[in-house]
Amino acid sequence: MDRISSTLRSANMRRIKGKNTSPELAVRRMIFRLGYRYRLHRGDLPGKPDIVFGRLRKLIFVHGCFWHAHPCFMAHQPKTNEAYWSPKLKRNQERDARHLEELETAGWDVLTIWECELKNMDSVEQKLTRFLNGQSGRKKGENPCGRWPRSRK
């Protein structure tokens, strides 16, 4: 049973944005401060990446941990309406994997920044610098959120 009415829940869900979220704006400010310029939300690319560096053939997705079912301390499985949320979050993960594969096949270098990673902005800045300077965005075996992921049911 949900703790709030369906009308209030519906109003809350309508206010959730897909573009220009707080995590995305924080990453964009950091990239701009580093001296890079970019394009936003290119609709002609699979998944409409949040940040695109066309000349470099690099792009960045800034994912919310809940919406993309990241196995970290910030994401959780909703306890109400599980019949809806479980398949929904699974479809989101499958769609993300499909878009990633399509982009890499087309020759794009892709970096995903997770909302939980923004708890350590210095680490994100190092990752962005490595990625934009031609190195891989993540060191081998590096845990993106600095904590061991939770197991999912």
Side-chain angles (χ1 to χ4, degrees):
M1 189 74 194
D2 204 350
R3 295 177 304 190
I4 61 176
S5 71
S6 62
T7 308
L8 189 54
R9 173 68 64 206
S10 182
N12 287 346
M13 296 304 283
R14 265 195 311 275
R15 285 195 301 266
I16 296 171
K17 302 182 296 182
K19 296 180 181 177
N20 304 319
T21 61
S22 297
E24 181 185 331
L25 292 174
V27 171
R28 284 168 31 188
R29 279 191 296 272
M30 183 179 293
I31 293 169
F32 193 86
R33 193 176 66 246
L34 291 171
Y36 293 93
R37 300 304 177 256
Y38 47 84
R39 296 286 174 250
L40 301 174
H41 314 291
R42 275 193 39 191
D44 61 325
L45 294 172
K48 294 183 187 174
D50 298 310
I51 303 167
V52 180
F53 305 90
R55 187 177 50 82
L56 299 174
R57 300 282 296 171
K58 293 178 180 278
L59 48 87
I60 298 173
F61 286 100
V62 182
H63 282 338
C65 294
F66 170 75
W67 293 105
H68 298 271
H70 189 229
C72 73
F73 67 100
M74 289 182 72
H76 66 282
Q77 185 76 26
K79 291 180 178 37
T80 58
N81 203 2
E82 286 185 55
Y84 169 78
W85 284 109
S86 255
K88 162 83 173 139
L89 296 175
K90 182 79 171 148
R91 283 191 313 270
N92 287 355
Q93 285 182 311
E94 291 166 355
R95 185 191 63 228
D96 291 343
R98 189 175 62 250
H99 289 158
L100 180 63
E101 185 178 333
E102 290 171 12
L103 289 163
E104 288 176 342
T105 299
W108 289 91
D109 195 7
V110 181
L111 175 67
T112 301
I113 302 282
W114 291 96
E115 179 182 14
C116 60
E117 291 180 274
L118 298 176
K119 299 291 181 192
N120 184 347
M121 294 300 275
D122 292 335
S123 172
V124 172
E125 185 170 336
Q126 289 173 3
K127 180 192 290 194
L128 287 169
T129 302
R130 283 193 313 263
F131 178 70
L132 294 170
N133 287 333
Q135 301 165 359
S136 156
R138 178 168 288 129
K139 295 176 189 171
K140 189 166 185 89
E142 178 184 24
N143 185 359
C145 55
R147 300 184 189 195
W148 291 107
R150 293 182 327 165
S151 61
R152 292 242 176 225
K153 292 179 185 172

